[in-house]
Amino acid sequence: NITLDTDIDLTGKDWTPIGTDYDNSYKGTFDGGGHTITGLTVTTNDQFVGLFGYLNRAGMVKNVVMEGVLITSNHMFGCTGGVVGYSWGTIENCSVSGSVSGTDCVGGVVGSQKAGSIIGCSSSATVKGKHYVGGVAGEKWGTMTACYAIGNVTLEIASQKNNFGGGVVGLNGGSRVLACYATGNVTSTGSSTGNVHIGGLFGDSYTTVTACYWKNNQERGYKTAPESTKVDGTYVTWQNAVDAMNTALQNAGSKWRYELKGALSTLKKQKVPPATNINRQGSICHDEKVAYRPFLHYYTSFQSTSPFPISSSSMARAITLRLSALKGSAYCLAFICSVAASTPPLLLSFNSST
């Protein structure tokens, strides 16, 4: 494992990506500690290029700022990113500025995300590539949550290939994308005998997309589905977008939230709510009451307005479903406490399987 305790300036230094191929893939945890790596410069014919070349399933890269990168890969099947070229692992809380250029899979943060997750990452880098090209990821098959790109993307169309360019991801497959946005323009050069798909968010998409927004030169979020939302400043503002993205993140149990500062929103990771604190008299602390006040309001208002009492079996089913959704999260015990503190009271017991 690696933990940075200071900023690093790589300007004028030769750099060999950490993890050059599968046999030498990075399997540890790299924690940048919020520090900045400046001036990473790579021009190479290697296939996997970035701060890290090949990130193993067991690998994680987090909490690092890549400032002023100049990365170019000329490999025919190259995977090029500002943080990771080719990833099966986890990338969280990383940001990139500068320029990233390559061939096959090119992204501001990661060239090809084959599995794993990318969370809370952003890029203002300009990105250029020839096949799968995106502001955050060239292609994505794992999960992506709370990521955004504000740099321009250029798809340099390969003449005999299918080509995909998007503000966030070029080719979006596999698992979901949640609460992401793009503002960088997406343009293309050249022509192809294959398919050319370009979109404000994704060049093409084959998976669930929730609460994602874009505002750039493209009229559609992505070619195969029009339900993503464009911020037009009139019917949909950035405040609308931030509210919707934060609601989706909260509903998913994510600790990430957007904050609208100036024209665009930025990301911040929230602290995990404290563990529930119940004293011997069974009182519930303020934080837990606030966390599930919507449930208390729903229950008490329904009881007061309904001509019939809610059956215990119906309420038990509703509570069990909610507990299943919260299982393993920091809010689970808080929810139990809010039920216990409800008025009128609910007399319930919880077993270990619940």
Side-chain angles (χ1 to χ4, degrees), residues 172-188:
N172 177 38
S175 301
R176 70 170 192 197
V177 178
L178 174 68
C180 296
Y181 79 82
T183 61
N185 288 336
V186 186
T187 57
S188 65

Side-chain angles (χ1 to χ4, degrees), residues 27 35 58 62 86-88 128 156 184 234 244 265 270 294 338:
K27 302 178 179 68
H35 292 290
K62 63 181 181 179
Y86 192 75
S87 176
W88 292 80
K128 295 181 181 181
E156 299 174 324
T234 303
S265 54
Q270 294 189 330
S338 71

Side-chain angles (χ1 to χ4, degrees), residues 133 151-155 157 164-169 182-189 196-204 213-223 226 228-232:
V133 188
N152 292 336
V153 175
T154 302
L155 178 63
I157 297 172
F164 305 91
V168 174
V169 182
T183 61
N185 288 336
V186 186
T187 57
S188 65
T189 60
V196 177
H197 293 175
I198 297 174
L201 279 169
F202 314 111
D204 221 338
Y213 293 81
W214 87 98
K215 184 178 182 180
N216 53 32
N217 63 324
Q218 297 297 322
E219 289 303 314
R220 296 187 67 178
Y222 47 105
K223 184 176 179 65
S228 52
T229 307
K230 185 169 187 176
V231 176
D232 60 11

Side-chain angles (χ1 to χ4, degrees), residues 59 93 95 134 145 148 167 201 221 266 300 310 316 331:
N93 192 25
S95 64
T145 303
Y148 68 88
L201 279 169
T266 57
T300 55
I310 304 173
Y331 299 102

Side-chain angles (χ1 to χ4, degrees), residues 82-349:
V83 179
V84 180
Y86 192 75
S87 176
W88 292 80
T90 300
I91 307 169
E92 183 171 9
N93 192 25
C94 298
S95 64
V96 180
S97 67
S99 68
V100 181
S101 178
T103 53
D104 199 47
C105 298
V106 189
V109 177
V110 57
S112 176
Q113 184 205 10
K114 301 303 289 186
S117 58
I118 178 169
I119 311 160
C121 293
S122 63
S123 173
S124 61
T126 58
V127 181
K128 295 181 181 181
K130 300 177 183 293
H131 193 193
Y132 303 139
V133 188
V136 175
E139 66 169 352
K140 179 209 71 70
W141 298 97
T143 61
M144 179 179 285
T145 303
C147 295
Y148 68 88
I150 60 176
N152 292 336
V153 175
T154 302
L155 178 63
E156 299 174 324
I157 297 172
S159 61
Q160 295 179 344
K161 287 186 175 181
N162 295 329
N163 300 267
F164 305 91
V168 174
V169 182
L171 178 62
N172 177 38
S175 301
R176 70 170 192 197
V177 178
L178 174 68
C180 296
Y181 79 82
T183 61
N185 288 336
V186 186
T187 57
S188 65
T189 60
S191 60
S192 173
T193 56
N195 295 316
V196 177
H197 293 175
I198 297 174
L201 279 169
F202 314 111
D204 221 338
S205 182
Y206 302 97
T207 189
T208 302
V209 174
T210 303
C212 290
Y213 293 81
W214 87 98
K215 184 178 182 180
N216 53 32
N217 63 324
Q218 297 297 322
E219 289 303 314
R220 296 187 67 178
Y222 47 105
K223 184 176 179 65
T224 57
E227 63 266 21
S228 52
T229 307
K230 185 169 187 176
V231 176
D232 60 11
T234 303
Y235 297 102
V236 180
T237 66
W238 277 115
Q239 187 61 63
N240 299 144
V242 166
D243 291 344
M245 289 189 291
N246 283 344
T247 296
L249 290 168
Q250 181 176 352
N251 290 343
S254 172
K255 292 173 282 188
W256 286 94
R257 297 291 185 271
Y258 285 100
E259 295 181 338
L260 190 60
K261 294 183 178 180
L264 293 175
S265 54
T266 57
L267 282 166
K268 183 177 181 180
K269 191 174 184 179
Q270 294 189 330
K271 293 182 179 179
V272 177
T276 307
N277 178 21
I278 307 174
N279 63 28
R280 291 183 180 181
Q281 287 73 43
S283 63
I284 182 171
C285 74
H286 174 75
D287 287 347
E288 284 85 22
K289 278 188 176 181
V290 171
Y292 278 96
R293 186 170 288 161
F295 170 80
L296 298 178
H297 174 74
Y298 166 80
Y299 176 67
T300 55
S301 63
F302 195 98
Q303 281 281 35
S304 63
T305 58
S306 173
F308 305 103
I310 304 173
S311 71
S312 59
S313 60
S314 295
M315 184 56 68
R317 282 195 299 272
I319 291 171
T320 300
L321 286 172
R322 186 60 178 153
L323 283 172
S324 297
L326 294 169
K327 189 173 183 180
S329 77
Y331 299 102
C332 186
L333 192 54
F335 177 73
I336 295 174
C337 292
S338 71
V339 173
S342 61
T343 303
L346 293 172
L347 302 178
L348 300 168
S349 63

